[in-house]
Amino acid sequence: MSSTRLYGANVNANGIRQHYLRYGGKGQPLVLIPGITSPAITWEFVAERLGRNFDTYVLDVRGRGLSSTGAELDYDTDTCADDVVAFAEALGLEDYILAGHSMGARFALRAVTRGAKGVAKLALIDPPVSGPGRREYPSKLPWYVDSINDCLKGCDLETMRKYCPTWTEEQLLLRAEWLHTCYLDAIIKSFEDFHEVDIHQDFPKVQVPTLLMCAGKGGVIQEEDKEEIKQLLPSVRIETVPGAGHMIPWDDLEGFFQGFGDFLGARP
């Protein structure tokens, strides 16, 4: 066990088992919602740093990791956002920072506009801004499906390296170990929602300090997107990590933390 991970646990919230990992245990609470194929454990190298200053909770989104999964569940954006709302309420979190990466940022944003209580700040890390009538998300669905299918059969380091060639051996091994827990129907629905659900409608409803962290590479958020979001939420703070692709902390961990600036109130 890492020096800052306190434990992993489950809570029943929004009618399902939600599994999470907790780090640090002191300071302002921070809830982190990972991306489309990232179980909570894959964010441990980030959460360990956050746990030095914040009481950090990393969630296994439904259909991933050790949270509830299966064909009987819904995986749409609103349902997953409601999971986030219910998770924080079940743990009695107040005055907490809500952060999300990619898909998780879309869920975090939607959670705030669907009545999440106690959110003090919102950090959106390179959320897909695709949607109806907008340009497509840069990644393609077969990349996710093929890699998950490889892991369902049993995936070695070199097979995983084909999908994530710039990652370290440790990161590749961890992804190979856990990717099989990503339920394909959940991944497909989330990917479809990237193109069928427009999150821009949510920005004007946000009433808490908000950071939009953008990757300088990868093309998820472009300059015109930043301008549009700024018009929708004039108070938004926009920071860019110039040398990183969409998986910002994997590409530039120090740049990732620098990208928060003083927004969190403490520099992990």
Side-chain angles (χ1 to χ4, degrees):
M1 182 175 292
S2 72
S3 58
T4 59
R5 193 203 308 175
L6 297 179
Y7 54 79
N10 300 288
V11 63
N12 186 283
N14 200 28
I16 65 167
R17 180 188 70 254
Q18 297 196 43
H19 176 261
Y20 65 96
L21 301 175
R22 188 180 183 188
Y23 299 80
K26 298 179 180 179
Q28 185 177 15
L30 185 153
V31 176
L32 176 62
I33 314 300
I36 186 169
T37 54
S38 295
I41 188 65
T42 63
W43 276 79
E44 179 154 87
F45 72 111
V46 175
E48 286 178 335
R49 288 274 292 269
L50 291 170
R52 299 175 188 176
N53 301 96
F54 301 95
D55 185 10
T56 302
Y57 301 78
V58 188
L59 183 63
D60 270 333
V61 176
R62 64 167 62 200
R64 287 92 173 164
L66 301 180
S67 287
S68 290
T69 189
E72 71 279 6
L73 299 182
D74 294 321
Y75 298 99
D76 59 278
T77 297
D78 285 350
T79 297
C80 293
D82 290 346
D83 285 348
V84 177
V85 176
F87 174 78
E89 290 182 353
L91 294 183
L93 300 181
E94 299 178 351
D95 190 37
Y96 67 95
I97 299 166
L98 180 58
H101 171 249
S102 190
M103 176 198 75
R106 290 168 64 98
F107 292 169
L109 174 62
R110 182 60 56 90
V112 167
T113 64
R114 287 177 68 85
K117 300 176 181 178
V119 179
K121 297 177 182 178
L122 177 64
L124 307 174
I125 304 162
D126 219 41
V129 291
S130 46
R134 298 178 178 274
R135 74 175 184 279
E136 292 185 355
Y137 181 59
S139 296
K140 304 303 179 184
L141 183 58
W143 185 89
Y144 300 103
V145 173
D146 292 348
S147 60
I148 291 171
N149 280 331
D150 279 343
C151 286
L152 285 169
K153 292 181 292 186
C155 178
D156 60 16
L157 178 67
E158 293 310 313
T159 300
M160 187 53 60
R161 198 187 303 277
K162 293 189 302 183
Y163 296 101
C164 307
T166 63
W167 289 22
T168 67
E169 183 171 309
E170 182 180 9
Q171 291 166 348
L172 291 169
L173 287 171
L174 190 62
R175 185 167 177 82
E177 179 184 3
W178 281 89
L179 190 58
H180 76 92
T181 69
C182 294
Y183 181 56
L184 271 174
D185 286 359
I187 303 323
I188 292 169
K189 178 57 179 172
S190 295
F191 188 86
E192 290 174 345
D193 273 12
F194 286 174
H195 301 90
E196 297 174 1
V197 176
D198 194 334
I199 62 167
H200 292 79
Q201 62 185 300
D202 295 282
F203 284 103
K205 304 174 187 176
V206 175
Q207 298 181 351
V208 298
T210 300
L211 170 72
L212 176 66
M213 186 188 299
C214 307
K217 300 178 181 179
V220 173
I221 299 178
Q222 300 181 4
E223 290 303 318
E224 59 266 30
D225 303 314
K226 298 176 186 178
E227 290 301 319
E228 181 179 7
I229 292 170
K230 188 73 173 177
Q231 292 178 10
L232 294 169
L233 182 61
S235 63
V236 70
R237 173 172 170 175
I238 301 177
E239 300 287 347
T240 299
V241 184
H246 181 57
M247 303 297 285
I248 299 177
W250 280 260
D251 289 350
D252 184 358
L253 184 60
E254 296 307 320
F256 172 74
F257 287 114
Q258 291 172 9
F260 284 105
D262 61 357
F263 179 78
L264 297 179
R267 180 69 63 84

